[in-house]
Amino acid sequence: MIETLGKISYLDCLRTPFESEHYMEISAKYDCTVYPHNPICHGYTDAKFFGQTGTTDYLQVKFWSMCKGKTFQTEQEKSKLFCCDRLMNSLINFTYETGRREVFMKHDGELYADPLQRQVLYTWADPHENKAAMYTSELAERITGLKIVNKTMGPLLRISGYAPGGYRAHHHDTMHNLHVATFMFYFSEVDKGGETPFINSGVNVVPRKGSAVFWYNLFTDGITDQSTFHGGCPVIMGEKWASIRWIMYDWQDQLQCDLKPETRFEILVNGKSKYK
Ligand SMILES: O=C(O)CCC(=O)C(=O)O
Ligand SMILES: [Fe+2]
């Protein structure tokens, strides 16, 4: 079943905007073994080269090639993905009880229903009403050193469950520069598919139950870090569950901002700086 679905043919099942011959033609054009000097083969420099919107072909090809299993990371880079904590079954159950289908996506300024993105069940959990959501937020706060738990308003935690076929098209999480960082917990393993590809940096995060991925969406001068452009690959077999904790810029009081272009915020390890 997997074999017959595998590689390029599963693009057809997913009814992407690509005809498969067209896809093969452009994916050959960007094949790094044939054209090693193509900017697409150089990880982060891609972002500078193509900018936020890039060419549609480039972004589509890289998104789908990463979802097909193409890897741009070294073994060492892959081993650095850190694991954080255990699964919260209660948040999954909460999503079953309160979740809704994701219905719309935006394309060229128009909203339209994408049948596959509808295979995502999602909900919002208020940490002030839901202990598991509070625990998840506190954990993320301790690990990242950022301010996440807000006393006065409900900083809602998003939880998503993906059925086979369900995916999330590539996007930035910045939300008009409000979301300085993102902390995503995986609540399940996925039998096949469901990775989180960072298209410009070539990092493809494989969901593991109890692990998390964290990144800053913005540089210290408030400009979007293009290397964080990401999506969620289609689940092929199994289910994918994750919580997504967007971290508001406004809530931070200790972040060092400056006007130097493209300076990254330091990623703390367990809330601690490696410089101090
Ligand atoms: O499901 C994923 O892997 C990514 C989800 C995501 O990026 C989002 O919901 O903003
Ligand atoms: Fe996202």
Side-chain angles (χ1 to χ4, degrees):
M1 179 70 172
I2 298 172
E3 289 309 312
T4 51
L5 272 181
K7 306 298 172 192
I8 274 175
S9 58
Y10 89 70
L11 277 166
D12 303 333
C13 331
L14 295 176
R15 281 173 270 129
T16 67
F18 281 109
E19 297 298 327
S20 61
E21 292 95 65
H22 175 51
Y23 176 83
M24 282 194 262
E25 194 186 301
I26 44 186
S27 90
K29 198 162 79 189
Y30 290 117
D31 186 338
C32 298
T33 52
V34 183
Y35 299 102
H37 301 300
N38 191 311
I40 198 175
C41 307
H42 297 289
Y44 176 61
T45 51
D46 295 350
K48 289 194 186 130
F49 192 84
F50 288 97
Q52 170 167 357
T53 44
T55 64
T56 313
D57 274 4
Y58 158 71
L59 292 171
Q60 290 278 16
V61 165
K62 202 152 177 199
F63 179 78
W64 290 111
S65 68
M66 289 175 81
C67 292
K68 278 192 320 163
K70 189 160 178 65
T71 177
F72 296 89
Q73 289 165 273
T74 62
E75 286 307 310
Q76 196 191 9
E77 280 170 341
K78 282 192 237 165
S79 73
K80 277 192 184 156
L81 301 175
F82 59 90
C83 284
C84 305
D85 218 311
R86 59 197 160 94
L87 167 76
M88 308 256 173
N89 273 327
S90 66
L91 286 174
I92 294 184
N93 290 337
F94 180 74
T95 311
Y96 274 123
E97 282 159 22
T98 61
R100 295 153 183 249
R101 270 169 200 268
E102 184 87 275
V103 178
F104 293 111
M105 69 179 289
K106 226 174 176 186
H107 181 67
D108 293 341
E110 300 288 319
L111 285 175
Y112 73 97
D114 177 320
L116 290 166
Q117 290 209 50
R118 277 200 235 178
Q119 301 297 98
V120 181
L121 182 73
Y122 78 96
T123 196
W124 298 98
D126 184 342
H128 296 295
E129 290 169 8
N130 182 314
K131 274 195 182 148
M134 178 57 95
Y135 179 66
T136 308
S137 303
E138 286 172 353
L139 203 55
E141 198 165 70
R142 285 212 300 278
I143 292 165
T144 63
L146 293 175
K147 190 95 193 84
I148 296 174
V149 179
N150 188 308
K151 298 279 179 287
T152 52
M153 58 185 283
L156 302 182
L157 180 74
R158 182 188 165 110
I159 303 144
S160 298
Y162 298 73
Y167 79 105
R168 180 85 167 79
H170 43 268
H171 62 280
H172 284 300
D173 279 354
T174 47
M175 184 69 182
H176 313 297
N177 287 12
L178 294 175
H179 299 158
V180 68
T182 304
F183 188 93
M184 185 168 152
F185 256 114
Y186 297 104
F187 290 170
S188 66
E189 314 278 337
V190 184
D191 294 337
K192 184 104 182 135
E195 304 88 344
T196 305
F198 289 80
I199 308 162
N200 282 333
S201 61
V203 172
N204 207 9
V205 183
V206 176
R208 297 226 171 80
K209 184 172 166 178
S211 74
V213 56
F214 169 72
W215 67 93
Y216 279 100
N217 295 304
L218 303 174
F219 288 116
T220 58
D221 58 357
I223 301 297
T224 301
D225 181 345
Q226 301 297 339
S227 68
T228 66
F229 206 50
H230 65 281
C233 290
V235 170
I236 299 172
M237 288 180 81
E239 292 174 12
K240 170 178 168 187
W241 291 92
S243 74
I244 296 121
R245 168 82 280 162
W246 289 304
I247 302 173
M248 309 297 279
Y249 175 76
D250 277 6
W251 299 346
Q252 314 309 319
D253 38 37
Q254 83 285 29
L255 275 186
Q256 301 289 314
C257 302
D258 64 41
L259 295 177
K260 275 185 250 129
E262 298 189 0
T263 308
R264 290 178 193 279
F265 290 106
E266 183 193 357
I267 294 197
L268 304 179
V269 177
N270 290 326
K272 294 203 174 63
S273 165
K274 58 178 178 287
Y275 302 112
K276 286 173 203 151

